[in-house]
Amino acid sequence: YGEQLLVPDRELDDKRGFYVLTLLRTESGKSLPVVRGWLPGDASAAKAPAAPKGEVTVEGALQASESPGSNGVSAAGGLPRGQLGAISSASLVNLVRDDVYDAWVTLDKGDSGMKAVPASAPSNTGLDLKAFQNLGYTGEWFVFAGFVVFMWFRLFRREAEVARDARLGLLTDAKEAPAP
């Protein structure tokens, strides 16, 4: 583990607290933000337990970078040194020297007595209103294509009927005859 940061104003089980985020140096040289757990109260470096030393193995859920306004993430700036508003590479690039992955991990089990932060499913995935809207547009194009084929067939048939009637002498007016 490398540098440790705190993510204040996070709720868990209807209580306010903060996440303890530590950068995990990977073999590739990049760092992966790892939320080791949640603690109640105001964010304080004195409350946050130190990260384990040496080589570690982490098991958790990979999460997409946060953006202000999503999942209760504050867009307010001016946080004290060592604190982070949103867990994202865009926020971390100004705070740490390491190259950082554009994702983060929340541990399955809280580290050092902290409560584990549950993984959250990304929004706007699966079958939601947008998916049905896109299916509706697809259906409209199939109906339109069917209408084009029907109209082509109908006009072709009409021309063939007029030509047949002209051959049989059934047309009484010259206007009814097809153009050569």
Side-chain angles (χ1 to χ4, degrees):
Y1 280 117
E3 189 171 347
Q4 183 163 288
L5 300 165
L6 306 178
V7 186
D9 299 325
R10 297 304 176 106
E11 285 191 17
L12 188 63
D13 299 331
D14 295 325
K15 294 179 185 170
R16 198 172 72 78
F18 62 98
Y19 294 167
V20 176
L21 181 139
T22 310
L23 296 175
L24 177 69
R25 289 191 199 110
T26 62
E27 291 176 358
S28 70
K30 290 178 86 172
S31 291
L32 178 67
V34 176
V35 172
R36 295 177 36 235
W38 175 89
L39 290 170
D42 293 328
S44 167
K47 287 183 185 178
K53 300 287 184 200
E55 190 171 315
V56 294
T57 301
V58 297
E59 290 183 24
L62 189 64
Q63 301 287 284
S65 285
E66 296 177 331
S67 59
S70 67
N71 297 333
V73 175
S74 173
L79 293 172
R81 185 175 175 89
Q83 292 188 15
L84 179 68
I87 306 170
S88 70
S89 59
S91 299
L92 288 165
V93 74
N94 296 318
L95 299 175
V96 297
R97 294 179 187 218
D98 302 348
D99 286 336
V100 181
Y101 285 101
D102 192 23
W104 55 283
V105 171
T106 179
L107 296 181
D108 291 338
K109 296 177 186 170
D111 195 15
S112 303
M114 294 182 280
K115 199 171 211 179
V117 175
S120 61
S123 60
N124 296 329
T125 60
L127 289 177
D128 56 5
L129 186 58
K130 281 275 190 210
F132 289 111
Q133 182 180 12
N134 291 338
L135 287 173
Y137 290 145
T138 304
E140 285 178 15
W141 280 104
F142 277 104
V143 168
F144 176 71
F147 179 72
V148 167
V149 170
F150 169 77
M151 288 304 297
W152 176 83
F153 176 74
R154 180 70 181 107
L155 291 174
F156 178 77
R157 184 174 166 199
R158 182 175 173 198
E159 289 294 321
E161 288 172 352
V162 170
R164 184 195 64 200
D165 291 348
R167 276 194 320 271
L168 296 173
L170 299 175
L171 297 178
T172 58
D173 190 0
K175 289 181 185 178
E176 295 179 28

